[in-house]
Amino acid sequence: MQLFNSIIDYLFRSAAEAGPHDILKLYNPKGNIINISPRLEPNTPTSCYKLEVVAADCSSVELAVSLGFDLSSMEKRLQGLEKKILTDAGETPAVVYEMKRQVESFREKLESVEHLSWLGLFKDLSEGTQKPSPFYHKTTLRKTREECEHVREKFLQMSTLEVSEEVRQYLKTPTFDNWQWEDAEIMVLLQVMYSDLDFIATFNIEPEVLQQFLYEVYKRYNNIPFHNFKHCFCVTQMMYGLIWLTDLKSKIDSIDLLIMLTSAVCHDLDHTGYNNAYQINARTELALRYNDISPLENHHCAVAFEILEKNENNIFRNLTSEQYKRIREGIIKCILATDMTRHNEILNRFKSILPVFDFGNKDHRDVLMMITIKVSDISNEARPMDVAEPWLDCLLQEFYNQSDMEKLEGLPVTPFMDREKVTKPSSQTGFIGFVLLPLFIELANLFPCLEQHIIDPVKKALAYYTEMEKALEKEKLNRAQADKTAPAKTKDTPQQNQQNTADSLSEAMVAPKPATF
Ligand SMILES: Nc1nc2c(ncn2[C@@H]2O[C@H](COP(=O)(O)O)[C@@H](O)[C@H]2O)c(=O)[nH]1
Ligand SMILES: [Zn+2]
């Protein structure tokens, strides 16, 4: 029976992707908690059990240490006391019931997600604001007023300075290194883009209005690892680079270019660090508002137009209503196109028109604009390795945060975000090979000059991560073999393990073989 119970426990843990110390709660169709046991009635599609994972073990040693007492042993003592009183007095006194209620309520508090952060079981919150806690969507997500004011002041001071010709040219290339620039400087660089594409003169955009618009945009990007203001800048800067590299100015009109650049600026406004799958599964306010249809992208777009609604931020305020209508329609199309679930649909549309592509055809231009924002959005790997790799770290940090939260909340865990399944190389080889390159190659089919700028570096990145993946696999095999052949051998220390992996990696990196596509 003991063995049976363990197997059942194991099965439920595996199904829920719960860790060995997580608490599993099983509810019957009426919503009552029931025991997980071999005697459970089979469920049916109309009478489902609900399985909930709570990632805290109230009987764990760590918890007892952090609380200063052991909740489980307290419960046992209470049970013993209750038994004794019952035998002595014949009935359980009210005070015991009250104590039991208090212990139960405390246990419930401990098990709820909101309270795990202060226990420090999952994250050291003293790490500082650079690394947000996994609970950042509930706490530190928004920028503070002081932070915004400080950046605004700096930006306004800097915006009167002349940006050198050297920087202006560098800004037009995909090799641009965003990590060298702080947020106020980034705002100046965005201003330069509007200016050097002649938008200020063509659309009569007052400098103060552009500054106010950029400031509002800055404010509405959150302090999260990846989808932050620096990501907004990188996507916009890649879009800007593509416009120059392909000489789009000579092929399409300024309004389309203005749509493309502004869409990139606004495309992830107020991202909370949790993707659409999470929004939908967690039934967030956004998913409810947008009926599960691209909730994030709809929100980014709505926030953009909310900003533009205010006259003092409205960079399009001197345009005719016809022009405004066209811009609004274009921005909505572009931002909605960044939902990756539409990737194949948009790519296939582009592929079908490529053989007859006509810059004079509005439908063709619309698809091209969607493709360029998509390329810009996922273009980190087209940048030099020392610029791209930190972005991957940021992305994985955000992914892991989401999957941790999904586990805590008992939601389906997004597989490509699971820290137990995804590594840096495994994340990139699949993404580059199946998503990024096929998309980039099609854009380069229309503009062959892009080959050296965006395809070559991406191929290098793929080769790099393919080798890294092989090295990690090799290291894993070596370790498994060593464990098998020398079971009595003392285990490597974490430092030794790290050294072994580093040795395998450097061995593999010396002569990377080009990957095949
Ligand atoms: N594994 C990787 N996934 C990536 C990378 N760059 C982007 N992405 C994924 O695409 C979406 C882009 O859309 P966004 O509008 O949300 O920015 C992003 O969320 C990731 O899921 C990458 O280098 N590797
Ligand atoms: Zn993005």
Side-chain angles (χ1 to χ4, degrees):
M1 195 57 173
Q2 187 63 32
L3 179 67
F4 225 129
N5 279 339
S6 314
I7 294 171
I8 295 288
D9 181 69
Y10 173 78
L11 279 177
F12 273 79
R13 277 183 196 284
S14 309
E17 296 192 280
H21 300 299
D22 296 345
I23 291 164
L24 296 186
K25 288 181 174 177
L26 186 68
Y27 296 83
N28 68 14
K30 285 187 199 144
N32 303 324
I33 294 189
I34 51 170
N35 279 338
I36 295 175
S37 86
R39 282 181 291 276
L40 276 173
E41 293 285 328
N43 65 350
T44 68
T46 50
S47 65
C48 293
Y49 291 123
K50 189 176 143 218
L51 187 60
E52 199 177 83
V53 185
V54 183
D57 181 356
C58 291
S59 17
S60 74
V61 178
E62 299 96 298
L63 183 60
V65 170
S66 79
L67 289 173
F69 67 93
D70 182 345
L71 192 64
S72 293
S73 87
M74 193 183 195
E75 272 183 326
K76 276 198 196 107
R77 276 165 50 207
L78 204 55
Q79 274 167 10
L81 198 62
E82 190 186 2
K83 248 192 214 156
K84 191 167 174 351
I85 295 174
L86 197 61
T87 13
D88 289 352
E91 66 172 329
T92 309
V95 63
V96 175
Y97 280 122
E98 176 54 19
M99 276 167 79
K100 276 177 76 174
R101 195 196 57 73
Q102 282 184 14
V103 172
E104 192 48 41
S105 130
F106 190 45
R107 176 185 280 279
E108 249 171 46
K109 261 191 190 171
L110 287 176
E111 290 174 0
S112 84
V113 170
E114 295 284 350
H115 294 269
L116 295 177
S117 55
W118 58 259
L119 285 172
L121 285 179
F122 297 91
K123 185 87 182 167
D124 180 6
L125 296 183
S126 63
E127 275 177 358
T129 49
Q130 285 308 97
K131 281 189 179 173
S133 92
F135 306 94
Y136 54 65
H137 74 310
K138 293 187 173 129
T139 53
T140 59
L141 177 74
R142 314 268 173 223
K143 287 187 170 115
T144 64
R145 185 196 292 260
E146 295 77 54
E147 189 182 355
C148 292
E149 288 298 327
H150 177 69
V151 171
R152 179 188 164 86
E153 236 169 70
K154 265 190 166 177
F155 167 47
L156 293 182
Q157 275 168 11
M158 282 178 194
S159 59
T160 54
L161 303 173
E162 189 59 32
V163 175
S164 73
E165 187 51 30
E166 196 188 348
V167 171
R168 292 182 119 93
Q169 289 310 322
Y170 179 37
L171 192 58
K172 294 175 181 170
T173 68
T175 54
F176 192 88
D177 181 359
N178 68 280
W179 301 112
Q180 308 292 329
W181 307 81
E182 55 180 81
D183 287 349
E185 294 170 321
I186 284 179
M187 288 159 84
V188 175
L189 295 171
L190 290 171
Q191 211 180 346
V192 168
M193 294 181 202
Y194 277 82
S195 165
D196 285 3
L197 282 172
D198 292 330
F199 294 158
I200 293 181
T202 313
F203 302 108
N204 190 15
I205 303 174
E206 297 96 327
E208 309 75 48
V209 177
L210 179 59
Q211 284 157 9
Q212 189 56 31
F213 169 72
L214 293 175
Y215 174 61
E216 289 299 324
V217 164
Y218 161 77
K219 275 205 306 195
R220 301 296 300 268
Y221 274 94
N222 294 316
N223 283 334
I224 54 176
F226 184 86
H227 289 97
N228 50 39
F229 185 59
K230 290 190 199 307
H231 170 65
C232 144
F233 171 75
C234 283
V235 175
T236 311
Q237 191 270 326
M238 185 59 75
M239 178 69 100
Y240 184 68
L242 292 177
I243 290 173
W244 285 107
L245 290 172
T246 57
D247 192 22
L248 263 192
K249 270 183 100 180
S250 69
K251 298 179 175 71
I252 61 180
D253 80 356
S254 303
I255 291 202
D256 281 342
L257 296 177
L258 182 62
I259 290 171
M260 289 162 75
L261 198 79
T262 311
S263 299
V265 168
C266 299
H267 87 284
D268 271 333
L269 276 167
D270 197 33
H271 200 299
T272 55
Y274 294 85
N275 77 353
N276 280 333
Y278 177 90
Q279 305 290 336
I280 294 167
N281 290 329
R283 303 189 201 162
T284 63
E285 231 177 288
L286 290 187
L288 286 179
R289 184 175 310 146
Y290 296 110
N291 302 312
D292 296 349
I293 303 165
S294 304
L296 280 174
E297 291 72 21
N298 272 301
H299 179 60
H300 306 321
C301 221
V303 174
F305 284 99
E306 194 184 289
I307 291 173
L308 289 163
E309 267 308 291
K310 284 205 174 138
N311 200 40
E312 65 266 32
N313 307 333
N314 188 359
I315 52 173
F316 309 132
R317 70 184 189 180
N318 294 326
L319 273 66
T320 65
S321 45
E322 264 315 293
Q323 286 175 318
Y324 184 84
K325 207 172 147 210
R326 188 177 144 200
I327 288 181
R328 178 167 158 80
E329 185 200 299
I331 291 180
I332 293 172
K333 259 192 200 142
C334 282
I335 296 184
L336 293 187
T338 62
D339 181 347
M340 291 301 287
T341 61
R342 295 186 54 204
H343 180 80
N344 286 335
E345 168 218 321
I346 297 169
L347 182 56
N348 287 339
R349 268 169 78 185
F350 188 57
K351 277 189 199 168
S352 73
I353 57 172
L354 251 183
V356 289
F357 195 89
D358 173 11
F359 286 99
N361 180 321
K362 181 178 179 313
D363 290 341
H364 290 195
R365 284 198 313 270
D366 280 353
V367 182
L368 175 63
M369 283 154 67
M370 293 196 267
I371 289 286
T372 51
I373 194 166
K374 282 177 60 51
V375 166
S376 308
D377 197 17
I378 59 172
S379 63
N380 287 329
E381 290 300 346
R383 296 185 182 276
M385 194 53 83
D386 56 339
V387 179
E389 205 165 349
W391 274 116
L392 178 57
D393 294 330
C394 296
L395 184 68
L396 290 181
Q397 198 190 338
E398 206 171 288
F399 280 1
Y400 293 159
N401 274 327
Q402 174 172 325
S403 62
D404 288 350
M405 189 56 77
E406 288 167 335
K407 288 175 192 175
L408 282 167
E409 292 179 349
L411 299 171
V413 180
T414 308
F416 64 86
M417 297 188 175
D418 192 341
R419 62 170 79 241
E420 278 156 43
K421 297 188 180 136
V422 178
T423 62
K424 271 172 85 161
S426 72
S427 169
Q428 288 319 75
T429 48
F431 186 77
I432 298 175
F434 295 110
V435 180
L436 211 156
L437 262 182
L439 172 72
F440 282 31
I441 285 170
E442 295 308 329
L443 186 64
N445 277 340
L446 185 64
F447 300 111
C449 63
L450 290 181
E451 184 94 22
Q452 55 167 309
H453 297 287
I454 60 168
I455 307 282
D456 293 350
V458 165
K459 283 184 178 171
K460 270 196 196 130
L462 181 56
Y464 174 76
Y465 285 114
T466 305
E467 290 308 315
M468 194 189 278
E469 198 170 24
K470 277 191 212 154
L472 283 177
E473 275 306 310
K474 196 174 146 197
E475 179 53 31
K476 233 165 75 184
L477 274 177
N478 286 347
R479 259 191 234 162
Q481 231 151 24
D483 282 353
K484 250 195 223 162
T485 51
K489 182 180 168 263
T490 49
K491 274 199 168 168
D492 281 352
T493 63
Q495 288 79 3
Q496 280 165 329
N497 279 340
Q498 247 175 20
Q499 187 55 49
N500 294 344
T501 310
D503 289 347
S504 307
L505 283 180
S506 51
E507 202 182 291
M509 290 304 147
V510 174
K513 288 190 211 102
T516 46
F517 311 110

